[in-house]
Amino acid sequence: MFQKDLLKGRTIFITGAGTGLGRSMALRFAELGANLFIVGRREEPLKQTTEEIRAAGARAAYFSTDVRDFDAVEKAIEAAEKEFGRVDTLVNNAAGNFIARTEKLSPNAFNAVVGIVLQGTFFCTLALGRKWIAKKQPGHVLNIVTTYAAVNSGSGFVVPSACAKAGVLALTRSLAVEWARYHIRLNAIAPGPFPTEGAFSRLLPSKEFEERAKNHHPMKRFGRHEELANLAVYLLSEQADYVNGECVVIDGGLWLRGAGEFNDFLDLPDAAWDMLEGARKSKS
Ligand code: HXC
Ligand code: NAP
């Protein structure tokens, strides 16, 4: 389905695309014909991603924006419209997160994460959604959440992020219904672990933690960026026109490992299985 011109004619406004998964998605969208307008706070990574997209022959531009500031978001959208004429697709990917014991958090620590993730997503969605509705123009929105918001109903030690991502999922599902009459479609992706500097430096504090996380995974590996980027392409493409208000988990089965009562038997060595099975045979 990933035909060369699948996203031709589309202009995608994506947040946090100077680095990590946002950057990988932006490069893939551009490869399939889309124009990219990328935003984030630091200019240097935005500039680098933009140059990389242009070098590959596609159109791209960037704007330094803090998504917590509604006026700044509106200015970025104006700049995108000036560059490309119109924006028809939004990817809310920017996020903030860190591991902490909740009782140690300051009120501002909570605000910082909720501001980026929930408020930032709402601001971008509101600013573009209003324009699409006024112009009677269809729109596509993709929100990046986490498995601990999508299937696990939260997680200890990342409480601001868990609260914010749960809010983003509620926003996705609520507006999928409310704005369907305006031909605005909203979906979400809940990724498991995908190696990025931003996430892994903050959430897997050492190589040892990283190895442990990999060994705990049923597939014994982390996600590959192209796997997530291709899922994003599908959800944004016309081929997914009837998929609305959905959240697709892409984690190689990791969350299910915690869900099955006997799944820890994955760690049982063959010798222990032989013993168990031998005991059963000698009884029968
Ligand atoms: C406790 C912390 C903290 C930490 C910051 N704070 N880091 N508190 N533990 N590790 C507190 C600060 O003391 C401050 O409160 C408040 O948070 C705001 O901090 P600032 O540094 O001033 O904020 P800001 O510059 O806005 O930075 C935001 C940030 C930062 C979220 C704190 O980490 C950031 O910019 N992150 C962006 C990239 C990122 O996080 N990527 C990972 C996404 S991974 P006081 O009271 O002192 O003012 C993800 C899901 C992964 O989302 C799931 C994996 C499976
Ligand atoms: P990342 O590289 O740190 O990406 C986060 C991006 O958000 C950065 O480019 C950052 O750029 C931008 N950003 C942060 N605060 C911002 C603000 N206030 N305004 C504008 N932009 C801001 O981490 P990542 O792993 O690629 O994460 C991408 C998305 O995937 C996030 O939504 C994350 O929650 C989700 N996710 C990741 C994983 C994983 O394993 N990697 C797992 C589950 C979910 P600046 O700092 O320059 O602003």
Side-chain angles (χ1 to χ4, degrees):
M1 68 157 289
F2 299 106
Q3 302 145 18
K4 206 177 167 304
D5 288 339
L6 189 64
L7 299 178
K8 200 172 171 59
R10 296 278 285 273
T11 295
I12 302 179
F13 185 101
I14 175 167
T15 64
T19 63
L21 295 175
R23 174 181 168 278
S24 298
M25 283 189 277
L27 289 165
R28 183 67 174 136
F29 298 155
E31 207 172 71
L32 295 172
N35 303 323
L36 267 300
F37 194 85
I38 68 177
V39 300
R41 289 169 303 176
R42 288 164 299 152
E43 183 167 355
E44 201 39 48
L46 295 174
K47 196 168 158 217
Q48 271 180 27
T49 306
T50 302
E51 281 170 2
E52 222 174 311
I53 293 172
R54 287 180 181 160
R59 290 181 67 197
Y62 69 90
F63 202 85
S64 253
T65 309
D66 189 324
V67 293
R68 290 171 286 193
D69 176 345
F70 188 70
D71 290 341
V73 166
E74 286 199 305
K75 282 201 184 83
I77 292 169
E78 273 166 36
E81 288 175 338
K82 205 164 159 208
E83 183 76 28
F84 295 115
R86 73 172 206 178
V87 173
D88 47 58
T89 303
L90 165 65
V91 179
N92 286 303
N93 165 79
N97 202 355
F98 45 72
I99 292 277
R101 287 171 291 174
T102 306
E103 66 276 19
K104 304 269 182 197
L105 289 179
S106 70
N108 195 37
F110 185 83
N111 286 345
V113 172
V114 173
I116 300 168
V117 175
L118 180 54
Q119 202 165 293
T121 298
F122 180 70
F123 284 172
C124 294
T125 309
L126 178 69
L128 272 167
R130 275 178 177 168
K131 281 181 184 276
W132 292 335
I133 292 166
K135 291 182 189 160
K136 297 188 169 29
Q137 177 194 324
H140 309 261
V141 180
L142 179 65
N143 295 327
I144 309 300
V145 296
T146 52
T147 49
Y148 53 71
V151 287
N152 289 343
S153 310
S155 170
F157 307 104
V158 285
V159 164
S161 169
C163 296
K165 295 286 192 183
V168 171
L169 195 56
L171 175 90
T172 310
R173 290 174 172 156
S174 306
L175 283 181
V177 176
E178 190 180 334
W179 284 359
R181 61 193 157 155
Y182 302 123
H183 306 287
I184 298 171
R185 201 164 58 85
L186 298 96
N187 287 298
I189 290 180
F194 283 76
T196 66
E197 171 64 25
F200 277 35
S201 67
R202 290 177 174 88
L203 302 170
L204 293 170
S206 68
K207 269 277 160 217
E208 204 187 320
F209 266 85
E210 208 176 303
E211 275 311 303
R212 205 190 312 159
K214 200 185 280 176
N215 276 327
H216 178 72
H217 195 288
M219 293 174 84
K220 304 278 182 226
R221 72 166 176 91
F222 297 131
R224 301 183 184 113
H225 284 212
E226 66 270 22
E227 293 171 327
L228 183 132
N230 280 334
L231 175 59
V233 168
Y234 166 69
L235 288 172
L236 289 176
S237 76
E238 296 304 335
Q239 300 201 27
D241 197 42
Y242 206 51
V243 182
N244 189 27
E246 190 50 74
C247 176
V248 182
V249 172
I250 177 165
D251 76 342
L254 178 60
W255 86 266
L256 285 166
R257 166 151 198 187
E261 202 172 337
F262 297 100
N263 282 346
D264 280 346
F265 277 54
L266 275 174
D267 296 332
L268 216 58
D270 281 349
W273 278 113
D274 290 346
M275 215 167 71
L276 276 172
E277 287 159 4
R280 183 173 63 86
K281 275 180 204 138
S282 63
K283 264 190 217 156
S284 59

